[in-house]
Amino acid sequence: MYKVDFNKPCKVYFMGIGGISMSGLAEILLQRGFTVFGSDIKNSDITDMLSSLGATINIGQVKENITDDIDFAVYTAAISKDNEEYLAAVSMNIPMLTRAQLLGQVMSNYKYSLAISGTHGKTTTTSMMSHILLEADTDPTISIGGMLDAIGGNIRVGNSEYFVTEACEYTNSYHAFNPYISIILNVDEDHLDFFSGIDEIVESFKTFAEKLPDNGLLVINGDMEHKDKIVSELKCNIITFGLNPENDYSAKDVSFDDEGRPTFTLVKNGEAKERISLHSTGIHNVINALSAIAVSEFLGIGMEIIKKGLLACTSAKRRFEHKGVTENGVIIIDDYAHHPTEIEATLKAAANTPHNELWVAFQPHTYTRTYALLDRFAEALKLCDHVLVADIYAAREKDTGLVSSKDLCDRINSIGGHAEHFHDFLSIENFVEKNCKKNDLLITMGAGDIDKVGISLLKK
């Protein structure tokens, strides 16, 4: 594998530079004096920002973009092996790194590199850790898979030994990381277009945990079914968290305010400690916060700073984000949930938020996930009063006719739920305007572009 010498800036080319993680890496290299070129399929706020920082951006990916003076190139999983730029770089023998390989090398430059993993909750927990580290004046470098107001985007380049990033299991990309501290929030069935099932997913997280040095730290959800298998052969320090009081960090006496935000008593090694309040909603965020508290104390951060950081954390965009109230008095919330476990957590959080009826405009994300987890999706979505299901967001996949949004609606209705299928967003908007009443709560939900529905409704 090509090794980047961060003390000798050179010319680098990013294929797919407009992506959340790729753009963050590009910004880090720009700050370190590298000459950054890249491409994407269209202009965006992110590509405009990178251009303003000195990057040269090509719109469209053609072989002419690749020149023989490029020292190395970086590509994402979305770049196919028949991509013109990819083929051109290979033909010129330009060294190539995946996004994850570059991120792993970047992490090696920091003493306190933290990788936050798990099937669910990575972005929110990264937000929590970011707020705590900022409150502690550690001047961290942060790479997050969403837009965070506290850092004005998805990347913050600091000048200290602290680095925090998300670590996604998809395609085992996080196996290229080099963390000193890792969090494993949970392990669940997902990305079944890549993994064969839960056993392979557990094995993937086990391999990720084994990347830690002997003096490093794994903070892991002790309530997980597969925890023992993951930690069985580890030599590093291990801290557990969860709602079970047998964990090193747990919570009790959880209460919620009138906006669904929790306050809880922190329990450490069986002893009740502080009362801690969160801005993030839901019991699942109490669990996420426990992991952030454990890491923060390991780093020597005081409890008062931890409490301030957690309370200041409003989470990232599209994580139970209050968007506003329509002219008709309908409350609009947007959430990125696209897995049954995430949907259930979001709807339980919504139950603690004052409202009349609960509506969800849901956009399934990928055909493989919808097909594999169809029954679980139906059970989770049955928790709300009404489900308005948009067509499946294909992302990286093609429609083979295996499953449709109508199939999901039929399954929801067959178990006592109330779901309707809509082929376009305008139809959903019109239905909401006619049927949602004052103080009803509408959650636009999914990892695609369903948030456009809420944005449009609020403009009317």
Side-chain angles (χ1 to χ4, degrees), residues 37-289:
F37 282 68
S39 64
D40 218 300
I41 58 175
K42 62 181 179 180
N43 276 315
S44 66
D45 291 342
I46 290 176
T47 58
D48 290 345
M49 178 274 295
L50 290 173
S51 295
S52 72
L53 295 176
T56 301
I57 311 293
N58 297 310
I59 301 304
Q61 295 177 326
V62 294
K63 61 184 179 181
E64 288 78 14
N65 293 339
I66 306 300
T67 54
D68 58 10
D69 61 340
I70 294 170
D71 292 290
F72 72 97
V74 188
Y75 64 97
T76 70
I79 299 297
S80 63
K81 296 300 186 286
D82 60 356
N83 178 282
E84 283 192 36
E85 288 185 339
Y86 183 91
L87 290 172
V90 170
S91 69
M92 295 180 191
N93 294 315
I94 294 172
M96 306 271 277
L97 292 174
T98 66
R99 175 202 64 84
Q101 288 170 338
L102 177 58
L103 180 52
Q105 292 192 38
V106 168
M107 294 178 75
S108 298
N109 289 292
Y110 296 85
K111 181 178 180 180
Y112 302 113
S113 55
L114 166 61
I116 298 173
S117 74
T119 314
H120 322 292
K122 293 183 290 293
T123 300
T124 297
T125 307
T126 304
S127 299
M128 290 177 174
M129 276 307 314
S130 298
H131 277 86
I132 293 169
L133 291 171
L134 291 168
E135 189 69 36
D137 291 326
T138 60
D139 193 18
T141 296
I142 298 165
S143 177
I144 185 170
M147 307 306 284
L148 185 62
D149 286 341
I151 61 174
N154 65 303
I155 188 74
R156 180 188 191 274
V157 181
N159 292 289
S160 74
E161 296 285 359
Y162 293 87
F163 180 91
V164 57
T165 186
E166 294 183 33
C168 181
E169 72 276 14
Y170 185 56
T171 69
N172 290 324
S173 63
Y174 61 171
H175 291 173
F177 290 9
N178 296 295
Y180 174 64
I181 302 170
S182 292
I183 293 175
I184 298 179
L185 295 165
N186 40 63
V187 176
D188 202 349
E189 281 189 303
D190 200 9
H191 300 303
L192 296 175
D193 58 328
F194 177 76
F195 294 111
S196 62
I198 188 63
D199 290 340
E200 189 176 1
I201 295 170
V202 171
E203 195 62 37
S204 174
F205 277 94
K206 178 178 170 64
T207 301
F208 169 67
E210 290 169 348
K211 296 284 295 181
L212 290 163
D214 290 355
N215 66 336
L217 171 68
L218 175 66
V219 176
I220 186 168
N221 187 332
D223 296 341
M224 291 192 315
E225 177 184 354
H226 307 286
K227 185 264 294 184
D228 290 343
K229 183 173 183 180
I230 292 172
V231 305
S232 60
E233 299 176 16
L234 295 183
K235 297 179 180 179
C236 65
N237 301 292
I238 299 171
I239 294 175
T240 62
F241 67 93
L243 295 181
N244 189 317
E246 293 182 1
N247 288 301
D248 299 319
Y249 285 79
S250 61
K252 68 176 185 179
D253 302 329
V254 182
S255 60
F256 298 89
D257 66 13
D258 57 6
E259 293 187 24
R261 297 175 299 199
T263 295
F264 62 94
T265 298
L266 173 66
V267 180
K268 183 179 178 182
N269 298 321
E271 183 179 349
K273 298 288 186 179
E274 313 271 341
R275 287 291 284 174
I276 294 177
S277 297
L278 304 180
H279 196 284
S280 304
T281 56
I283 191 70
H284 60 293
N285 279 322
V286 171
I287 299 171
N288 291 338

